[in-house]
Amino acid sequence: DQQVKQNSPSLSVQEGRISILNCDYTNSMFDYFLWYKKYPAEGPTFLISISSIKDKNEDGRFTVFLNKSAKHLSLHIVPSQPGDSAVYFCAASLYGNKLVFGAGTILRVKS
Amino acid sequence: DAGITQSPRHKVTETGTPVTLRCHQTENHRYMYWYRQDPGHGLRLIHYSYGVKDTDKGEVSDGYSVSRSKTEDFLLTLESATSSQTSVYFCAISESPGSSGNTIYFGEGSWLTVV
């Protein structure tokens, strides 16, 4: 039973436009949500996080939105750049240091 | 970048043989993890450690064992490798609970092929 779901395996966006990556979860007890970015042949790297008590967190071009009633979060990248092309994993934390990951979304930013 | 070194980075082994992957950290973080990444499944937790000699199972622990005799080293052992264990294995570390975002830092991965 997947507790964290990324239903879009891939997304293609034009350079300069907005990229929106979505994530749904089932466990209302998750206390933190995180996004990781992964390039081929490298380990995932932390991108941005949000506490369950907030509904928005922004860091430069990256903004994460949390809708607890819908159990949904999204990552917005504005403007998208070719270097943003990677696999993006949504993750959720429960009571500490174990993360549950989604299956990932491949983002391709076309120049 | 977090000081995490995984070895070996690439390995091909035969079905039924034992395999050990090593993770070494220089950050003195308390928590260490082993994840595997497979297409369609994302990253799944195999085992984790919350201190020397303190370990616990993750969601896909069958067929794997771990050991942590020193803060800096976390070993993952496949007792008898099977083709279903062909995967990319990532070690990760994190600080104590309560750190903002519970951020976990990953190593570069170990590619294991079981033939």
Side-chain angles (χ1 to χ4, degrees):
Chain A
D1 178 32
Q2 274 192 309
Q3 297 188 69
V4 177
K5 295 181 181 180
Q6 294 177 255
N7 293 317
S8 298
S10 65
L11 174 68
S12 186
V13 172
Q14 197 67 35
E15 180 180 7
R17 299 289 185 96
I18 185 172
S19 295
I20 300 177
L21 296 98
N22 294 304
C23 179
D24 297 298
Y25 62 95
T26 58
N27 192 336
S28 59
M29 300 302 292
F30 285 136
D31 54 0
Y32 261 100
F33 301 90
L34 304 89
W35 285 93
Y36 280 79
K37 176 180 177 180
K38 185 184 179 304
Y39 292 118
E42 295 183 8
T45 55
F46 170 72
L47 191 57
I48 191 170
S49 66
I50 186 168
S51 165
S52 62
I53 63 172
K54 297 188 175 182
D55 54 19
K56 177 182 175 181
N57 188 29
E58 190 172 355
D59 183 2
R61 296 187 297 114
F62 303 91
T63 303
V64 57
F65 296 92
L66 176 62
N67 182 335
K68 283 191 293 183
S69 61
K71 294 191 178 67
H72 177 83
L73 68 155
S74 60
L75 174 68
H76 292 210
I77 306 174
V78 183
S80 301
Q81 300 174 354
D84 296 329
S85 297
V87 180
Y88 289 78
F89 291 102
C90 169
S93 169
L94 183 64
Y95 301 138
N97 284 272
K98 287 194 292 183
L99 292 183
V100 180
F101 284 85
T105 297
I106 301 171
L107 174 65
R108 296 186 184 90
V109 180
K110 299 175 289 185
S111 56
Chain B
D1 290 343
I4 306 170
T5 304
Q6 292 185 227
S7 60
R9 295 291 313 281
H10 298 271
K11 185 173 182 65
V12 179
T13 192
E14 293 186 350
T15 299
T17 61
V19 177
T20 295
L21 305 180
R22 179 178 181 248
C23 179
H24 178 78
Q25 61 147 330
T26 58
E27 305 296 322
N28 201 36
H29 283 356
R30 179 182 173 191
Y31 286 74
M32 298 186 76
Y33 312 81
W34 278 107
Y35 283 87
R36 59 179 288 174
Q37 183 197 1
D38 304 288
H41 292 280
L43 293 147
R44 293 181 292 175
L45 181 64
I46 305 171
H47 282 280
Y48 70 103
S49 169
Y50 46 95
V52 174
K53 299 190 187 303
D54 293 322
T55 65
D56 204 351
K57 296 179 180 180
E59 59 183 309
V60 289
S61 60
D62 287 348
Y64 302 94
S65 63
V66 290
S67 66
R68 191 167 177 200
S69 59
K70 296 185 292 185
T71 299
E72 58 266 33
D73 291 325
F74 193 33
L75 304 181
L76 176 71
T77 298
L78 290 65
E79 303 291 346
S80 178
T82 67
S83 59
S84 65
Q85 293 176 312
T86 293
S87 187
V88 185
Y89 292 86
F90 288 98
C91 174
I93 63 174
S94 74
E95 297 175 347
S96 300
S99 60
S100 175
N102 298 314
T103 304
I104 288 179
Y105 300 94
F106 285 85
E108 295 189 335
S110 293
W111 275 254
L112 177 67
T113 302
V114 183
V115 296

